[in-house]
Amino acid sequence: MVQEQITDVIRINARKTDVFDIFDFKHYIGPNPYLDTGALVFDFSLTEYRSPLAIEDYVSIISDRYPHLGKQTYPSHAHLFARVVSEVGKLDMGLHLNRWSVKPYDDFVRISVQSLHERTTRAVVYFVWDWFEAITQDEDFLFDDQLVRLQNRYRISVYGGPTVYALLRTAYEKGIPAFYLWEEGLMQYGHGKKLVRGVATTFDSDSHLDSEFTTRKDDCKAFLKALGFPVPEGDIVISEKEALAVARDIGYPVAIKPVVGHKGIGVTADVQDAKELVSAYNRAVAAIPEDQPIRIIVENSISGADFRLLCVNGKFVAATERRPASIVGDGYSTIDELIRRENRKPARLDSPTSPMSKIQIDEAMELCLEEKGLSLNSVINKDRIVQLRKVANLSAGGMSIDATPGVHHDNIILAQDIAQHFRLTCIGIDVITKSLSESWKSGNFAILEINSAPGILMHFNPAVGESVDVPAHILETFFESGKDARIPIITFNKISVPELQATIDHILLQHPEWTIGAVCREGVFVNRSAKVLNKDYNSNVQILLRHPKLDLLIAEYTGHILEEEGMFYQGSNMVVLDNPSETEMTLMRDVFDGSTVVIRKGNDISIRSKGLIEDYSLGEEEPFTRVYLKEIGTIL
């Protein structure tokens, strides 16, 4: 629906055939006057060109897709529209976006829906608008095709990675502040001196030396061998000729993989002869980054299943068996057709929450089939299972099976012994063995490699078995609760620079060792030192909360800032309101338990603290600053 330049106040974005109109979009990254969380806010109205259908007519069609929406009642078309936007916004991925509100005005209704990624949420709103108009005009609507486009839009966003999203959602549920640092390409959890920054499962507290060491598979293998742990026999080669020589020396079958690599890219297991080795060697070389030298590992290929042991903060938390992608024949379909059918299953949505990725067709798969005397055009007998790869690469369509409950205690000790030699928050240990229920000491057990940035979806949402809440284990390494991730915050609806500096001085008298960040419309300060004031107000707030030494934040949020940008953070330990507007009164909405709220209206003072309310009037010549400075001690 293309915006038209018109003067008709009835229609802004709508076409002449449309019943509904949406306009005046605004995206808030945090709490705002309409929702206490990040939200997309827009206005909704009827165009009056034609009448809408009855609400029940829309519900009857919408409930075919979302049956639970048919069991609810809706006071207006706007309420139904908001509810459907909220539901579609989950993208059939189970995203945690379920907050919405409707606020009526004289000529329109303002709708607010919880949002994480602005572009995706805005596209969802237009998607639902098109759906409603198609229902009105009794036209076909390609729901599934358009939903896939929305899913892809979200998947390529910074929040679309399964590990990032799992941690972000868990932080949200635990009340741990989390936001993306665009300039740095990092997620931040917590505020000020409590903060932790990282990418996926690597964090700023990790040793970059240890992380780099795990990528040097040859040196890491030698280290594990020195610890007395089982590693496959083999060597590093730099040419095809050397690879053939090592394979002859140690004996087939062998495994081939690049020294520098991840996600199983360029890895080939169970190489049976020289012909296979040449192909495997070339795949390993192709997987090496251009700026890296050619260094290939050739080692014994151990028979057994592929397992990942995961440790967090030196402690074993989960184990997963990884099986290569496979298909089951039906007696009439080709392998290619079976793969395409398998890839259409909801479990293979390839989203941040789906347990399996789509099966990838590539040279490695075709070679694996060729060794079985098959091709993508082969028809497979009914119920015959065909393994499509030698390597259990989950990103290429492999299956994850939770193996945590039955792990032998010797194997748990082995995993923890390895993890505790590295200053890394998360560490994944890839092993091959027939069963994790048998001790590694009994033989037929080999450590394949160490991962310093392991993915966690395989444990959190396995294709088979119970979920292990790995994101909670990770965040609890840094924060026992949401409260432990926060520094005290004092929020004003208005405060001048002199009053701000007086407040800073008052706190520093009690805590001279503290670093205090403060921002108002007229300036940014760290203690008494003035800093650069950005035009984008919330950028100032973010920069202060990103300060790793900050003990406390003081921030001004006027009604104008709340309407234009919303708040960057959620929750205050103290709110000070000086003759507040209706919009500014929303600052009280997000205070924490045990917080203090001071409100001045004229000369009347109301103080709310720890469940108690005290009302009185200011004395003659008594400044308001005396009131709130006295109360600051209640939150420090």
Side-chain angles (χ1 to χ4, degrees):
M1 298 180 178
V2 180
Q3 182 170 349
E4 301 177 20
Q5 297 297 323
I6 57 175
T7 58
D8 190 340
V9 295
I10 297 174
R11 179 168 58 88
I12 296 178
N13 287 325
R15 301 168 299 192
K16 290 184 178 180
T17 56
D18 289 336
V19 172
F20 306 104
D21 196 10
I22 55 175
F23 48 95
D24 288 350
F25 284 84
K26 186 177 288 294
H27 192 266
Y28 297 99
I29 60 174
N32 54 81
Y34 310 102
L35 279 182
D36 61 355
T37 185
L40 182 70
V41 178
F42 60 95
D43 295 336
F44 173 95
S45 70
L46 301 180
T47 63
E48 299 182 8
Y49 285 116
R50 55 187 296 187
S51 298
L53 303 177
I55 292 175
E56 293 75 15
D57 293 335
Y58 294 97
V59 172
S60 67
I61 294 176
I62 291 167
S63 60
D64 287 340
R65 181 76 192 200
Y66 301 108
H68 58 289
L69 297 189
K71 301 175 183 178
Q72 303 173 22
T73 58
Y74 306 93
S76 69
H77 289 88
H79 284 81
L80 175 61
F81 192 90
R83 182 67 184 87
V84 175
V85 169
S86 177
E87 191 63 36
V88 175
K90 298 175 186 177
L91 302 180
D92 284 3
M93 295 178 178
L95 301 183
H96 66 284
L97 309 176
N98 51 23
R99 309 285 297 282
W100 58 277
S101 71
V102 172
K103 184 176 182 179
Y105 290 85
D106 291 340
D107 300 320
F108 60 88
V109 172
R110 185 154 292 164
I111 294 176
S112 311
V113 290
Q114 186 177 4
S115 174
L116 187 60
H117 183 240
E118 178 181 1
R119 289 185 60 197
T120 301
T121 309
R122 185 186 286 257
V124 165
V125 174
Y126 278 90
F127 171 89
V128 174
W129 186 18
D130 284 342
W131 193 16
F132 270 59
E133 297 296 350
I135 294 172
T136 303
Q137 298 174 37
D138 194 25
E139 295 178 347
D140 291 334
F141 186 70
L142 300 177
F143 188 101
D144 291 325
D145 291 345
Q146 295 196 47
L147 181 64
V148 168
R149 294 190 186 97
L150 293 173
Q151 291 167 338
N152 289 337
R153 183 186 294 266
Y154 178 75
R155 191 178 292 115
I156 63 176
S157 75
V158 296
Y159 311 109
T163 296
V164 171
Y165 177 73
L167 287 166
L168 186 65
R169 178 172 185 157
T170 301
Y172 176 81
E173 293 169 347
K174 289 180 171 293
I176 297 170
F179 51 89
Y180 190 71
L181 299 168
W182 291 94
E183 296 81 4
E184 300 167 69
L186 301 174
M187 286 296 301
Q188 176 170 320
Y189 305 92
H191 290 157
K193 68 179 184 180
K194 304 290 186 70
L195 71 80
V196 174
R197 294 192 293 271
V199 179
T201 54
T202 61
F203 301 92
D204 55 4
S205 58
D206 293 344
S207 165
H208 75 277
L209 295 175
D210 283 355
S211 180
E212 190 272 337
F213 178 52
T214 65
T215 68
R216 303 197 325 259
K217 294 183 174 64
D218 52 340
D219 294 334
C220 196
K221 177 180 175 181
F223 175 67
L224 295 174
K225 187 174 183 179
L227 292 175
F229 296 135
V231 293
E233 183 183 355
D235 207 346
I236 306 288
V237 301
I238 61 173
S239 70
E240 182 182 300
K241 182 178 179 180
E242 288 185 6
L244 290 166
V246 170
R248 285 195 301 270
D249 186 40
I250 64 176
Y252 290 97
V254 297
I256 310 294
K257 56 188 173 183
V259 169
V260 177
H262 65 289
K263 292 186 176 180
I265 300 173
V267 178
T268 306
D270 197 29
V271 175
Q272 295 289 341
D273 54 37
K275 180 182 176 182
E276 287 186 29
L277 186 143
V278 171
S279 296
Y281 178 86
N282 290 332
R283 282 194 297 276
V285 170
I288 299 173
E290 291 184 1
D291 61 339
Q292 296 289 327
I294 294 177
R295 300 180 75 230
I296 306 296
I297 294 175
V298 180
E299 62 186 15
N300 286 135
S301 186
I302 309 298
S303 63
D306 185 321
F307 293 93
R308 162 70 60 84
L309 304 173
L310 183 77
C311 291
V312 177
N313 195 27
K315 301 173 184 176
F316 169 80
V317 297
T320 298
E321 179 184 351
R322 301 177 294 186
R323 292 183 183 174
S326 63
I327 48 90
V328 181
D330 59 10
Y332 57 86
S333 300
T334 67
I335 291 177
D336 183 69
E337 291 169 339
L338 291 170
I339 291 173
R340 296 182 190 281
R341 191 180 307 158
E342 178 71 19
N343 281 343
R344 287 195 292 270
K345 291 182 178 180
R348 292 192 182 277
L349 184 60
D350 203 11
S351 77
T353 57
S354 56
M356 292 186 287
S357 297
K358 295 187 184 302
I359 298 174
Q360 303 296 320
I361 297 175
D362 56 18
E363 180 192 355
M365 175 189 289
E366 292 178 348
L367 183 61
C368 182
L369 291 174
E370 183 182 329
E371 293 170 7
K372 295 178 171 67
L374 302 171
S375 72
L376 291 170
N377 295 320
S378 299
V379 175
I380 306 303
N381 292 335
K382 184 176 175 58
D383 298 329
R384 178 187 174 187
I385 299 174
V386 176
Q387 184 174 300
L388 301 173
R389 293 178 180 277
K390 292 184 176 181
V391 179
N393 189 343
L394 298 184
S395 63
M399 175 183 289
S400 57
I401 302 170
D402 178 49
T404 307
V407 181
H408 193 283
H409 70 274
D410 283 348
N411 300 333
I412 292 175
I413 293 171
L414 175 143
Q416 293 183 162
D417 281 348
I418 293 173
Q420 289 170 10
H421 277 87
F422 295 85
R423 287 177 294 177
L424 299 170
T425 303
C426 299
I427 192 166
I429 305 165
D430 294 342
V431 305
I432 190 163
T433 184
K434 290 182 178 179
S435 173
L436 283 178
S437 62
E438 297 179 11
S439 171
W440 68 271
K441 298 176 182 178
S442 63
N444 195 48
F445 186 108
I447 301 171
L448 300 179
E449 63 182 38
I450 306 295
N451 290 273
S452 62
I456 60 176
L457 186 64
M458 69 179 82
H459 309 290
F460 187 58
N461 191 18
V464 178
E466 297 297 318
S467 170
V468 179
D469 195 355
V470 174
H473 283 284
I474 293 172
L475 292 176
E476 287 167 5
T477 298
F478 306 109
F479 316 110
E480 291 186 9
S481 67
K483 184 178 179 181
D484 295 320
R486 300 174 182 271
I487 58 174
I489 296 178
I490 304 173
T491 306
F492 289 80
N493 71 317
K494 65 182 65 155
I495 187 169
S496 66
V497 169
E499 292 169 335
L500 195 61
Q501 292 176 332
T503 304
I504 293 171
D505 290 344
H506 176 82
I507 297 172
L508 288 176
L509 281 174
Q510 302 173 58
H511 301 278
E513 75 286 0
W514 276 19
T515 300
I516 299 171
V519 57
C520 66
R521 289 166 294 171
E522 300 171 353
V524 178
F525 303 88
V526 175
N527 289 353
R528 274 285 191 144
S529 176
K531 306 300 178 184
V532 175
L533 178 66
N534 290 286
K535 290 182 179 179
D536 177 55
Y537 189 79
N538 275 326
S539 291
N540 301 301
V541 179
Q542 175 178 317
I543 288 170
L544 289 174
L545 289 175
R546 190 220 170 279
H547 195 307
K549 300 293 185 181
L550 206 69
D551 292 281
L552 179 142
L553 174 70
I554 304 170
E556 177 188 38
Y557 273 102
T558 66
H560 175 73
I561 295 172
L562 291 171
E563 289 283 359
E564 288 299 310
E565 298 188 40
M567 298 182 72
F568 183 80
Y569 54 85
Q570 184 174 33
S572 303
N573 300 87
M574 182 173 180
V575 172
V576 181
L577 302 175
D578 187 356
N579 292 303
S581 65
E582 179 183 351
T583 298
E584 291 166 350
M585 286 293 289
T586 61
L587 293 172
M588 296 175 53
R589 178 187 58 195
D590 304 325
V591 295
F592 299 121
D593 292 341
S595 298
T596 297
V597 178
V598 179
I599 307 173
R600 173 191 181 185
K601 293 185 177 179
N603 285 327
D604 294 329
I605 302 295
S606 179
I607 300 175
R608 308 175 188 188
S609 180
K610 299 179 181 178
L612 299 175
I613 300 177
E614 178 185 3
D615 292 337
Y616 64 92
S617 297
L618 283 174
E620 291 187 17
E621 306 299 323
E622 183 181 2
F624 183 46
T625 53
R626 177 183 294 180
V627 176
Y628 62 74
L629 289 178
K630 177 174 66 72
E631 296 298 327
I632 284 176
T634 64
I635 66 157
L636 301 182

